[in-house]
Amino acid sequence: MTFAVATVMGLAVLTPVSANAAGSDASSRPTQPRVQGETAEETQALAKAADTDEPVEVLSHRTEVSQVFANPSGTFTEERYATAQWARKGNRLVDVDTSLHQDESGTIQPKAATVGLKFSGGGDGPMATITRDGRSVSLTWPTALPEPSVDGDTATYPVLRQWPRGGRQARRHQWRR
């Protein structure tokens, strides 16, 4: 059998050029394309993709900014995004959700963000703190903050209404005033 070799995600992919080599009978099945080091999940995704004729995501390869699909042709495709589409929550990746909620300590934070982002629920302490990789930066206010009103991804502090855009808004990678 003759094979064509292509590189997908740094892995060699062997694809049969001719399914029926000399000496094989017509009832033999074509050889499935194989990837070196293919995992059980990749094998299952390739089989499902071939059965449905639709790409199937290999979830164990998903990161904050990429996802991998098994294709019906027996190859894999990696899609990369310029910004995070998923955030780590415990040991899983979930859709980024910047909707704010108040936790049991009174701090206001996004449901799922790529950085630790906390807004004050009112009182003394930092107005906002961003944490990533064990480092943090906080913005303080010289007086006690009132309780903010929360609407979606925005926490508005009445004391800041004198400023244009007195709210604090959670974004995928930042907060903005």
Side-chain angles (χ1 to χ4, degrees):
M1 179 170 279
T2 305
F3 288 90
V5 179
T7 302
V8 176
M9 296 177 10
L11 302 173
V13 177
L14 300 177
T15 305
V17 174
S18 170
N20 290 322
S24 64
D25 63 71
S27 66
S28 67
R29 295 176 51 162
T31 304
Q32 282 284 22
R34 300 289 298 178
V35 175
Q36 271 184 336
E38 194 173 283
T39 66
E41 183 185 10
E42 291 167 340
T43 302
Q44 291 170 351
L46 284 169
K48 187 173 180 181
D51 289 347
T52 63
D53 202 32
E54 295 286 331
V56 174
E57 185 176 7
V58 182
L59 286 172
S60 65
H61 293 313
R62 183 185 279 189
T63 70
E64 289 92 343
V65 295
S66 68
Q67 57 191 143
V68 174
F69 293 92
N71 299 310
S73 65
T75 61
F76 292 92
T77 301
E78 180 180 32
E79 292 183 3
R80 292 195 154 267
Y81 304 90
T83 61
Q85 305 298 303
W86 301 279
R88 292 209 178 273
K89 201 154 185 151
N91 290 332
R92 6 181 250 130
L93 286 169
V94 298
D95 291 342
V96 170
D97 182 354
T98 58
S99 301
L100 297 174
H101 73 281
Q102 195 164 26
D103 67 15
E104 56 280 347
S105 72
T107 302
I108 298 167
Q109 54 191 326
K111 290 182 181 174
T114 58
V115 297
L117 178 59
K118 295 182 178 183
F119 295 110
S120 171
D124 294 324
M127 179 188 333
T129 301
I130 299 175
T131 304
R132 176 135 191 163
D133 298 330
R135 295 177 158 181
S136 64
V137 63
S138 295
L139 175 66
T140 61
W141 191 254
T143 60
L145 287 164
E147 186 175 330
S149 62
V150 176
D151 182 19
D153 63 359
T154 303
T156 302
Y157 296 88
V159 70
L160 300 179
R161 288 197 178 155
Q162 65 198 23
W163 290 8
R165 297 174 71 180
R168 300 293 165 259
Q169 188 175 36
R171 295 292 183 102
R172 287 181 185 268
H173 304 291
Q174 65 188 12
W175 65 274
R176 93 176 181 192
R177 68 171 189 92

